[in-house]
Amino acid sequence: SGKLSHNIPPHSSSVFSISHKPVEKDKDTYITFIYSDKNGEIAKEQIVLNRAILYPIVKKGNNVSAVDGATSITTNFDDGYCIFNKLTGQLESYVYNYRELLNTEPVSEYKGFMPNVYRAPTDNDRNYRKRWDKLGLDDYTVRFDDIGVKIKKAGVEVNTFFTLISGAGKLCRIKIDYLVRANGSLEVESTLIPSGKIKGEIPRFGFMIELPRECNKIEYYGLGEKENMPDMNEHCTMGIYKTTVEKMHIPYIKPQDNGNRSGVRWLKISDDANKGFFVSANDAKGFVFNAHEYTQKRLQYAMHQEDLRDENTVVLSVDGFTRGLGSNSCGPGPDKEHRFNVDKPLSFKVMIVPVE
């Protein structure tokens, strides 16, 4: 770190040379500029020198096994177990060190990691949402199709298959693969297969998971500290930030998708006793997440802030693909680089690591 003192006249520029240590390919490297005057900070910006794939540090495990029963698949690892329901495909229980990490009585009908392809429309979605709602993205159900289990050298692999169905008909297929390792970590890979009516651009592809209400502490490495999106983040810099589920809510006059953080490489969500888990990205791009004490359905249908209330749950949303905001409430939509379509399969992977 250091300081540069210089007055640059309006409509002019200056060139500075800054020395720094050699960039290491296996580490993230940024230069952050903070502009200030005698009254304090005016603005700041960050230049990326290198983005690396960051792998979580996890302890070595010893044993992992699976019991394939009539109605469930139980995977046992060193300090706990996972239970998958063979009738629903849902991860019903994830216990580590005698502590249940999931909300086993979720407000929604779904337990564990479930696919998500919609968002409570923002003001800038007002024209696009007509097509999304016509497809039924705002009100689809998740039909369970199949489940399988394999014993592999790296751990126990559980494969689950679902179909998203709306009033318009079959939308697409979703495959969620889990690799349960002996140390209790999970690799979760979610794939969207466009085999139905879902076409073109959609608002997001990710998953939602409900956690116990006590899991209200959040720490993450990504863009912050304020709310941001892939195309709305010039006010943010990469760093490690701490917040809470309650503070992630942004009280827009008209309730809408809010509180997102983008470019996130890892996040930790836990309770006051530090019980919870890490979510780690599998690439240098990172993911987008938010966490709220109300469900996405309640947010979708809320007309006023008073319609939102604490539902005694924590809903964590993690997206591998996120449509930008653009400015279509009065201008153009997002740039091409901040849009994606589902004309071909989409896939992303994260690692879940219980907090010690």
mmCIF file of all heavy atoms in Angstrom, residues 146-190:
data_model
loop_
_atom_site.group_PDB
_atom_site.id
_atom_site.type_symbol
_atom_site.label_atom_id
_atom_site.label_comp_id
_atom_site.label_asym_id
_atom_site.label_seq_id
_atom_site.Cartn_x
_atom_site.Cartn_y
_atom_site.Cartn_z
ATOM 1 N N ASP A 146 -36.274 -39.350 -10.760
ATOM 2 C CA ASP A 146 -35.453 -40.536 -10.498
ATOM 3 C C ASP A 146 -34.319 -40.182 -9.545
ATOM 4 O O ASP A 146 -33.965 -39.008 -9.363
ATOM 5 C CB ASP A 146 -34.890 -41.075 -11.815
ATOM 6 C CG ASP A 146 -34.425 -42.530 -11.704
ATOM 7 O OD1 ASP A 146 -34.677 -43.148 -10.653
ATOM 8 O OD2 ASP A 146 -33.815 -43.036 -12.664
ATOM 9 N N ILE A 147 -33.745 -41.228 -8.945
ATOM 10 C CA ILE A 147 -32.592 -41.074 -8.062
ATOM 11 C C ILE A 147 -31.728 -42.313 -8.177
ATOM 12 O O ILE A 147 -32.236 -43.418 -8.394
ATOM 13 C CB ILE A 147 -33.043 -40.843 -6.598
ATOM 14 C CG1 ILE A 147 -31.850 -40.471 -5.706
ATOM 15 C CG2 ILE A 147 -33.768 -42.064 -6.045
ATOM 16 C CD1 ILE A 147 -32.259 -40.002 -4.320
ATOM 17 N N GLY A 148 -30.423 -42.116 -8.073
ATOM 18 C CA GLY A 148 -29.498 -43.243 -8.129
ATOM 19 C C GLY A 148 -28.301 -42.994 -7.228
ATOM 20 O O GLY A 148 -28.026 -41.860 -6.840
ATOM 21 N N VAL A 149 -27.596 -44.045 -6.876
ATOM 22 C CA VAL A 149 -26.433 -43.923 -6.004
ATOM 23 C C VAL A 149 -25.305 -44.791 -6.539
ATOM 24 O O VAL A 149 -25.533 -45.889 -7.053
ATOM 25 C CB VAL A 149 -26.792 -44.315 -4.545
ATOM 26 C CG1 VAL A 149 -27.282 -45.751 -4.455
ATOM 27 C CG2 VAL A 149 -25.605 -44.082 -3.609
ATOM 28 N N LYS A 150 -24.074 -44.254 -6.446
ATOM 29 C CA LYS A 150 -22.885 -44.971 -6.886
ATOM 30 C C LYS A 150 -21.789 -44.794 -5.847
ATOM 31 O O LYS A 150 -21.634 -43.716 -5.268
ATOM 32 C CB LYS A 150 -22.383 -44.442 -8.238
ATOM 33 C CG LYS A 150 -23.383 -44.492 -9.369
ATOM 34 C CD LYS A 150 -22.827 -43.782 -10.597
ATOM 35 C CE LYS A 150 -23.851 -43.713 -11.724
ATOM 36 N NZ LYS A 150 -23.347 -42.899 -12.865
ATOM 37 N N ILE A 151 -21.035 -45.849 -5.627
ATOM 38 C CA ILE A 151 -19.877 -45.766 -4.738
ATOM 39 C C ILE A 151 -18.652 -45.505 -5.605
ATOM 40 O O ILE A 151 -18.343 -46.272 -6.517
ATOM 41 C CB ILE A 151 -19.681 -47.063 -3.932
ATOM 42 C CG1 ILE A 151 -20.965 -47.410 -3.171
ATOM 43 C CG2 ILE A 151 -18.505 -46.910 -2.975
ATOM 44 C CD1 ILE A 151 -21.386 -46.384 -2.159
ATOM 45 N N LYS A 152 -17.968 -44.414 -5.345
ATOM 46 C CA LYS A 152 -16.782 -44.056 -6.107
ATOM 47 C C LYS A 152 -15.583 -43.899 -5.181
ATOM 48 O O LYS A 152 -15.730 -43.836 -3.955
ATOM 49 C CB LYS A 152 -17.024 -42.758 -6.887
ATOM 50 C CG LYS A 152 -18.075 -42.888 -7.979
ATOM 51 C CD LYS A 152 -18.037 -41.701 -8.908
ATOM 52 C CE LYS A 152 -18.886 -41.945 -10.152
ATOM 53 N NZ LYS A 152 -18.765 -40.841 -11.121
ATOM 54 N N LYS A 153 -14.415 -43.835 -5.788
ATOM 55 C CA LYS A 153 -13.201 -43.707 -4.996
ATOM 56 C C LYS A 153 -13.205 -42.407 -4.185
ATOM 57 O O LYS A 153 -12.742 -42.359 -3.044
ATOM 58 C CB LYS A 153 -11.977 -43.745 -5.904
ATOM 59 C CG LYS A 153 -10.651 -43.721 -5.169
ATOM 60 C CD LYS A 153 -9.476 -43.843 -6.126
ATOM 61 C CE LYS A 153 -8.156 -43.828 -5.377
ATOM 62 N NZ LYS A 153 -6.992 -43.936 -6.308
ATOM 63 N N ALA A 154 -13.755 -41.323 -4.772
ATOM 64 C CA ALA A 154 -13.761 -40.023 -4.100
ATOM 65 C C ALA A 154 -14.851 -39.905 -3.052
ATOM 66 O O ALA A 154 -14.808 -39.010 -2.209
ATOM 67 C CB ALA A 154 -13.911 -38.909 -5.132
ATOM 68 N N GLY A 155 -15.870 -40.772 -3.107
ATOM 69 C CA GLY A 155 -16.967 -40.691 -2.160
ATOM 70 C C GLY A 155 -18.214 -41.368 -2.692
ATOM 71 O O GLY A 155 -18.150 -42.189 -3.613
ATOM 72 N N VAL A 156 -19.358 -41.013 -2.138
ATOM 73 C CA VAL A 156 -20.644 -41.561 -2.567
ATOM 74 C C VAL A 156 -21.322 -40.540 -3.469
ATOM 75 O O VAL A 156 -21.519 -39.383 -3.079
ATOM 76 C CB VAL A 156 -21.554 -41.883 -1.372
ATOM 77 C CG1 VAL A 156 -22.920 -42.355 -1.868
ATOM 78 C CG2 VAL A 156 -20.908 -42.940 -0.478
ATOM 79 N N GLU A 157 -21.660 -40.948 -4.676
ATOM 80 C CA GLU A 157 -22.332 -40.058 -5.626
ATOM 81 C C GLU A 157 -23.827 -40.366 -5.649
ATOM 82 O O GLU A 157 -24.225 -41.515 -5.841
ATOM 83 C CB GLU A 157 -21.743 -40.213 -7.026
ATOM 84 C CG GLU A 157 -22.354 -39.263 -8.048
ATOM 85 C CD GLU A 157 -21.726 -39.419 -9.417
ATOM 86 O OE1 GLU A 157 -20.690 -38.767 -9.658
ATOM 87 O OE2 GLU A 157 -22.271 -40.190 -10.245
ATOM 88 N N VAL A 158 -24.625 -39.343 -5.450
ATOM 89 C CA VAL A 158 -26.084 -39.465 -5.522
ATOM 90 C C VAL A 158 -26.569 -38.587 -6.666
ATOM 91 O O VAL A 158 -26.280 -37.384 -6.693
ATOM 92 C CB VAL A 158 -26.758 -39.050 -4.200
ATOM 93 C CG1 VAL A 158 -28.278 -39.147 -4.327
ATOM 94 C CG2 VAL A 158 -26.262 -39.915 -3.047
ATOM 95 N N ASN A 159 -27.289 -39.176 -7.613
ATOM 96 C CA ASN A 159 -27.790 -38.454 -8.786
ATOM 97 C C ASN A 159 -29.298 -38.324 -8.688
ATOM 98 O O ASN A 159 -30.005 -39.320 -8.508
ATOM 99 C CB ASN A 159 -27.418 -39.183 -10.074
ATOM 100 C CG ASN A 159 -25.951 -39.583 -10.129
ATOM 101 O OD1 ASN A 159 -25.625 -40.757 -10.070
ATOM 102 N ND2 ASN A 159 -25.074 -38.604 -10.226
ATOM 103 N N THR A 160 -29.802 -37.093 -8.791
ATOM 104 C CA THR A 160 -31.239 -36.861 -8.718
ATOM 105 C C THR A 160 -31.712 -36.163 -9.987
ATOM 106 O O THR A 160 -30.996 -35.332 -10.558
ATOM 107 C CB THR A 160 -31.607 -36.012 -7.488
ATOM 108 O OG1 THR A 160 -30.929 -34.750 -7.552
ATOM 109 C CG2 THR A 160 -31.227 -36.725 -6.208
ATOM 110 N N PHE A 161 -32.928 -36.480 -10.419
ATOM 111 C CA PHE A 161 -33.480 -35.949 -11.658
ATOM 112 C C PHE A 161 -34.881 -35.384 -11.389
ATOM 113 O O PHE A 161 -35.704 -36.026 -10.728
ATOM 114 C CB PHE A 161 -33.566 -37.047 -12.720
ATOM 115 C CG PHE A 161 -32.237 -37.677 -13.046
ATOM 116 C CD1 PHE A 161 -31.758 -38.736 -12.281
ATOM 117 C CD2 PHE A 161 -31.464 -37.213 -14.101
ATOM 118 C CE1 PHE A 161 -30.534 -39.327 -12.560
ATOM 119 C CE2 PHE A 161 -30.242 -37.798 -14.392
ATOM 120 C CZ PHE A 161 -29.771 -38.863 -13.625
ATOM 121 N N PHE A 162 -35.139 -34.200 -11.931
ATOM 122 C CA PHE A 162 -36.418 -33.530 -11.737
ATOM 123 C C PHE A 162 -36.889 -32.933 -13.063
ATOM 124 O O PHE A 162 -36.106 -32.729 -13.983
ATOM 125 C CB PHE A 162 -36.299 -32.397 -10.709
ATOM 126 C CG PHE A 162 -35.736 -32.814 -9.386
ATOM 127 C CD1 PHE A 162 -34.368 -32.763 -9.141
ATOM 128 C CD2 PHE A 162 -36.575 -33.253 -8.368
ATOM 129 C CE1 PHE A 162 -33.839 -33.141 -7.916
ATOM 130 C CE2 PHE A 162 -36.061 -33.630 -7.140
ATOM 131 C CZ PHE A 162 -34.693 -33.580 -6.916
ATOM 132 N N THR A 163 -38.181 -32.610 -13.108
ATOM 133 C CA THR A 163 -38.755 -31.868 -14.226
ATOM 134 C C THR A 163 -39.505 -30.675 -13.669
ATOM 135 O O THR A 163 -40.286 -30.816 -12.719
ATOM 136 C CB THR A 163 -39.726 -32.743 -15.048
ATOM 137 O OG1 THR A 163 -39.009 -33.866 -15.587
ATOM 138 C CG2 THR A 163 -40.330 -31.944 -16.205
ATOM 139 N N LEU A 164 -39.259 -29.502 -14.245
ATOM 140 C CA LEU A 164 -40.008 -28.313 -13.863
ATOM 141 C C LEU A 164 -41.254 -28.234 -14.742
ATOM 142 O O LEU A 164 -41.158 -28.302 -15.976
ATOM 143 C CB LEU A 164 -39.165 -27.051 -14.031
ATOM 144 C CG LEU A 164 -37.822 -26.992 -13.283
ATOM 145 C CD1 LEU A 164 -37.253 -25.579 -13.345
ATOM 146 C CD2 LEU A 164 -37.953 -27.465 -11.850
ATOM 147 N N ILE A 165 -42.415 -28.094 -14.100
ATOM 148 C CA ILE A 165 -43.685 -28.099 -14.813
ATOM 149 C C ILE A 165 -44.505 -26.878 -14.400
ATOM 150 O O ILE A 165 -44.612 -26.562 -13.210
ATOM 151 C CB ILE A 165 -44.486 -29.380 -14.529
ATOM 152 C CG1 ILE A 165 -43.692 -30.608 -14.992
ATOM 153 C CG2 ILE A 165 -45.844 -29.350 -15.212
ATOM 154 C CD1 ILE A 165 -44.336 -31.932 -14.641
ATOM 155 N N SER A 166 -45.063 -26.184 -15.388
ATOM 156 C CA SER A 166 -45.940 -25.043 -15.119
ATOM 157 C C SER A 166 -47.266 -25.260 -15.838
ATOM 158 O O SER A 166 -47.481 -26.293 -16.490
ATOM 159 C CB SER A 166 -45.299 -23.738 -15.608
ATOM 160 O OG SER A 166 -45.317 -23.671 -17.027
ATOM 161 N N GLY A 167 -48.150 -24.274 -15.769
ATOM 162 C CA GLY A 167 -49.417 -24.370 -16.478
ATOM 163 C C GLY A 167 -49.244 -24.451 -17.977
ATOM 164 O O GLY A 167 -50.129 -24.939 -18.692
ATOM 165 N N ALA A 168 -48.084 -23.983 -18.462
ATOM 166 C CA ALA A 168 -47.796 -24.044 -19.899
ATOM 167 C C ALA A 168 -47.302 -25.425 -20.323
ATOM 168 O O ALA A 168 -47.209 -25.721 -21.506
ATOM 169 C CB ALA A 168 -46.748 -22.985 -20.274
ATOM 170 N N GLY A 169 -46.978 -26.271 -19.339
ATOM 171 C CA GLY A 169 -46.498 -27.616 -19.634
ATOM 172 C C GLY A 169 -45.110 -27.859 -19.080
ATOM 173 O O GLY A 169 -44.634 -27.148 -18.186
ATOM 174 N N LYS A 170 -44.449 -28.857 -19.602
ATOM 175 C CA LYS A 170 -43.097 -29.214 -19.177
ATOM 176 C C LYS A 170 -42.117 -28.121 -19.595
ATOM 177 O O LYS A 170 -42.054 -27.742 -20.758
ATOM 178 C CB LYS A 170 -42.706 -30.551 -19.795
ATOM 179 C CG LYS A 170 -41.297 -30.998 -19.505
ATOM 180 C CD LYS A 170 -41.006 -32.310 -20.228
ATOM 181 C CE LYS A 170 -39.535 -32.704 -20.102
ATOM 182 N NZ LYS A 170 -39.232 -33.943 -20.856
ATOM 183 N N LEU A 171 -41.345 -27.608 -18.641
ATOM 184 C CA LEU A 171 -40.399 -26.535 -18.929
ATOM 185 C C LEU A 171 -39.015 -27.061 -19.279
ATOM 186 O O LEU A 171 -38.441 -26.727 -20.313
ATOM 187 C CB LEU A 171 -40.305 -25.588 -17.726
ATOM 188 C CG LEU A 171 -41.557 -24.787 -17.392
ATOM 189 C CD1 LEU A 171 -41.352 -24.008 -16.090
ATOM 190 C CD2 LEU A 171 -41.916 -23.850 -18.526
ATOM 191 N N CYS A 172 -38.450 -27.873 -18.397
ATOM 192 C CA CYS A 172 -37.098 -28.386 -18.609
ATOM 193 C C CYS A 172 -36.831 -29.488 -17.598
ATOM 194 O O CYS A 172 -37.605 -29.702 -16.665
ATOM 195 C CB CYS A 172 -36.056 -27.270 -18.451
ATOM 196 S SG CYS A 172 -36.031 -26.541 -16.796
ATOM 197 N N ARG A 173 -35.711 -30.162 -17.776
ATOM 198 C CA ARG A 173 -35.267 -31.158 -16.804
ATOM 199 C C ARG A 173 -34.109 -30.573 -16.007
ATOM 200 O O ARG A 173 -33.333 -29.753 -16.504
ATOM 201 C CB ARG A 173 -34.823 -32.445 -17.499
ATOM 202 C CG ARG A 173 -35.940 -33.203 -18.208
ATOM 203 C CD ARG A 173 -35.504 -34.624 -18.519
ATOM 204 N NE ARG A 173 -35.439 -35.422 -17.287
ATOM 205 C CZ ARG A 173 -34.753 -36.556 -17.173
ATOM 206 N NH1 ARG A 173 -34.047 -37.023 -18.191
ATOM 207 N NH2 ARG A 173 -34.753 -37.238 -16.042
ATOM 208 N N ILE A 174 -34.011 -31.009 -14.781
ATOM 209 C CA ILE A 174 -32.937 -30.582 -13.892
ATOM 210 C C ILE A 174 -32.264 -31.823 -13.323
ATOM 211 O O ILE A 174 -32.941 -32.752 -12.858
ATOM 212 C CB ILE A 174 -33.462 -29.717 -12.730
ATOM 213 C CG1 ILE A 174 -34.155 -28.459 -13.243
ATOM 214 C CG2 ILE A 174 -32.319 -29.369 -11.777
ATOM 215 C CD1 ILE A 174 -33.257 -27.424 -13.848
ATOM 216 N N LYS A 175 -30.951 -31.823 -13.368
ATOM 217 C CA LYS A 175 -30.181 -32.901 -12.744
ATOM 218 C C LYS A 175 -29.316 -32.291 -11.647
ATOM 219 O O LYS A 175 -28.597 -31.314 -11.888
ATOM 220 C CB LYS A 175 -29.299 -33.603 -13.775
ATOM 221 C CG LYS A 175 -28.528 -34.793 -13.229
ATOM 222 C CD LYS A 175 -27.591 -35.358 -14.294
ATOM 223 C CE LYS A 175 -26.834 -36.575 -13.736
ATOM 224 N NZ LYS A 175 -25.587 -36.825 -14.459
ATOM 225 N N ILE A 176 -29.435 -32.826 -10.434
ATOM 226 C CA ILE A 176 -28.584 -32.385 -9.327
ATOM 227 C C ILE A 176 -27.769 -33.583 -8.850
ATOM 228 O O ILE A 176 -28.326 -34.594 -8.422
ATOM 229 C CB ILE A 176 -29.406 -31.809 -8.168
ATOM 230 C CG1 ILE A 176 -30.266 -30.630 -8.651
ATOM 231 C CG2 ILE A 176 -28.480 -31.345 -7.045
ATOM 232 C CD1 ILE A 176 -31.121 -30.011 -7.565
ATOM 233 N N ASP A 177 -26.457 -33.450 -8.969
ATOM 234 C CA ASP A 177 -25.530 -34.509 -8.568
ATOM 235 C C ASP A 177 -24.808 -34.109 -7.292
ATOM 236 O O ASP A 177 -24.311 -32.981 -7.174
ATOM 237 C CB ASP A 177 -24.498 -34.768 -9.668
ATOM 238 C CG ASP A 177 -25.120 -35.252 -10.959
ATOM 239 O OD1 ASP A 177 -26.077 -36.041 -10.890
ATOM 240 O OD2 ASP A 177 -24.659 -34.833 -12.039
ATOM 241 N N TYR A 178 -24.747 -35.041 -6.354
ATOM 242 C CA TYR A 178 -24.044 -34.824 -5.090
ATOM 243 C C TYR A 178 -22.882 -35.801 -4.990
ATOM 244 O O TYR A 178 -23.035 -36.985 -5.315
ATOM 245 C CB TYR A 178 -24.959 -35.077 -3.895
ATOM 246 C CG TYR A 178 -26.230 -34.256 -3.861
ATOM 247 C CD1 TYR A 178 -27.356 -34.668 -4.565
ATOM 248 C CD2 TYR A 178 -26.306 -33.093 -3.104
ATOM 249 C CE1 TYR A 178 -28.535 -33.936 -4.518
ATOM 250 C CE2 TYR A 178 -27.480 -32.348 -3.051
ATOM 251 C CZ TYR A 178 -28.586 -32.776 -3.762
ATOM 252 O OH TYR A 178 -29.754 -32.053 -3.726
ATOM 253 N N LEU A 179 -21.746 -35.318 -4.552
ATOM 254 C CA LEU A 179 -20.644 -36.201 -4.186
ATOM 255 C C LEU A 179 -20.372 -35.984 -2.709
ATOM 256 O O LEU A 179 -19.917 -34.911 -2.295
ATOM 257 C CB LEU A 179 -19.391 -35.906 -5.005
ATOM 258 C CG LEU A 179 -18.191 -36.803 -4.698
ATOM 259 C CD1 LEU A 179 -18.501 -38.268 -5.036
ATOM 260 C CD2 LEU A 179 -16.945 -36.342 -5.448
ATOM 261 N N VAL A 180 -20.706 -36.989 -1.905
ATOM 262 C CA VAL A 180 -20.539 -36.914 -0.454
ATOM 263 C C VAL A 180 -19.175 -37.502 -0.103
ATOM 264 O O VAL A 180 -18.903 -38.667 -0.379
ATOM 265 C CB VAL A 180 -21.651 -37.686 0.280
ATOM 266 C CG1 VAL A 180 -21.520 -37.509 1.783
ATOM 267 C CG2 VAL A 180 -23.029 -37.241 -0.206
ATOM 268 N N ARG A 181 -18.322 -36.689 0.486
ATOM 269 C CA ARG A 181 -16.969 -37.138 0.815
ATOM 270 C C ARG A 181 -16.872 -37.555 2.289
ATOM 271 O O ARG A 181 -17.718 -37.212 3.107
ATOM 272 C CB ARG A 181 -15.954 -36.033 0.508
ATOM 273 C CG ARG A 181 -15.865 -35.678 -0.978
ATOM 274 C CD ARG A 181 -14.796 -34.642 -1.239
ATOM 275 N NE ARG A 181 -14.674 -34.316 -2.646
ATOM 276 C CZ ARG A 181 -13.916 -34.976 -3.512
ATOM 277 N NH1 ARG A 181 -13.219 -36.033 -3.108
ATOM 278 N NH2 ARG A 181 -13.856 -34.601 -4.783
ATOM 279 N N ALA A 182 -15.800 -38.261 2.599
ATOM 280 C CA ALA A 182 -15.612 -38.782 3.954
ATOM 281 C C ALA A 182 -15.480 -37.672 4.992
ATOM 282 O O ALA A 182 -15.792 -37.874 6.170
ATOM 283 C CB ALA A 182 -14.389 -39.695 4.005
ATOM 284 N N ASN A 183 -15.023 -36.470 4.583
ATOM 285 C CA ASN A 183 -14.857 -35.373 5.540
ATOM 286 C C ASN A 183 -16.161 -34.615 5.784
ATOM 287 O O ASN A 183 -16.178 -33.630 6.534
ATOM 288 C CB ASN A 183 -13.763 -34.412 5.069
ATOM 289 C CG ASN A 183 -14.053 -33.831 3.690
ATOM 290 O OD1 ASN A 183 -15.179 -33.903 3.184
ATOM 291 N ND2 ASN A 183 -13.037 -33.260 3.078
ATOM 292 N N GLY A 184 -17.249 -35.034 5.141
ATOM 293 C CA GLY A 184 -18.537 -34.387 5.340
ATOM 294 C C GLY A 184 -18.861 -33.306 4.339
ATOM 295 O O GLY A 184 -19.954 -32.728 4.379
ATOM 296 N N SER A 185 -17.941 -33.011 3.424
ATOM 297 C CA SER A 185 -18.220 -31.991 2.412
ATOM 298 C C SER A 185 -19.072 -32.579 1.283
ATOM 299 O O SER A 185 -19.086 -33.798 1.065
ATOM 300 C CB SER A 185 -16.911 -31.429 1.839
ATOM 301 O OG SER A 185 -16.199 -32.430 1.128
ATOM 302 N N LEU A 186 -19.790 -31.696 0.596
ATOM 303 C CA LEU A 186 -20.614 -32.091 -0.540
ATOM 304 C C LEU A 186 -20.191 -31.306 -1.769
ATOM 305 O O LEU A 186 -20.053 -30.079 -1.699
ATOM 306 C CB LEU A 186 -22.100 -31.798 -0.293
ATOM 307 C CG LEU A 186 -22.817 -32.355 0.928
ATOM 308 C CD1 LEU A 186 -24.261 -31.882 0.917
ATOM 309 C CD2 LEU A 186 -22.754 -33.862 0.937
ATOM 310 N N GLU A 187 -19.996 -31.989 -2.871
ATOM 311 C CA GLU A 187 -19.915 -31.310 -4.160
ATOM 312 C C GLU A 187 -21.308 -31.370 -4.766
ATOM 313 O O GLU A 187 -21.876 -32.454 -4.898
ATOM 314 C CB GLU A 187 -18.899 -31.982 -5.084
ATOM 315 C CG GLU A 187 -17.456 -31.731 -4.706
ATOM 316 C CD GLU A 187 -16.485 -32.310 -5.725
ATOM 317 O OE1 GLU A 187 -16.931 -32.639 -6.854
ATOM 318 O OE2 GLU A 187 -15.303 -32.446 -5.396
ATOM 319 N N VAL A 188 -21.858 -30.215 -5.097
ATOM 320 C CA VAL A 188 -23.207 -30.150 -5.640
ATOM 321 C C VAL A 188 -23.133 -29.551 -7.034
ATOM 322 O O VAL A 188 -22.721 -28.395 -7.205
ATOM 323 C CB VAL A 188 -24.136 -29.299 -4.750
ATOM 324 C CG1 VAL A 188 -25.558 -29.317 -5.298
ATOM 325 C CG2 VAL A 188 -24.107 -29.798 -3.305
ATOM 326 N N GLU A 189 -23.506 -30.333 -8.031
ATOM 327 C CA GLU A 189 -23.512 -29.853 -9.419
ATOM 328 C C GLU A 189 -24.940 -29.877 -9.944
ATOM 329 O O GLU A 189 -25.629 -30.891 -9.887
ATOM 330 C CB GLU A 189 -22.625 -30.716 -10.310
ATOM 331 C CG GLU A 189 -22.566 -30.213 -11.750
ATOM 332 C CD GLU A 189 -21.527 -30.924 -12.603
ATOM 333 O OE1 GLU A 189 -21.037 -31.991 -12.160
ATOM 334 O OE2 GLU A 189 -21.204 -30.417 -13.693
ATOM 335 N N SER A 190 -25.381 -28.735 -10.440
ATOM 336 C CA SER A 190 -26.749 -28.586 -10.940
ATOM 337 C C SER A 190 -26.706 -28.322 -12.434
ATOM 338 O O SER A 190 -25.963 -27.451 -12.897
ATOM 339 C CB SER A 190 -27.450 -27.434 -10.209
ATOM 340 O OG SER A 190 -28.818 -27.393 -10.519
#
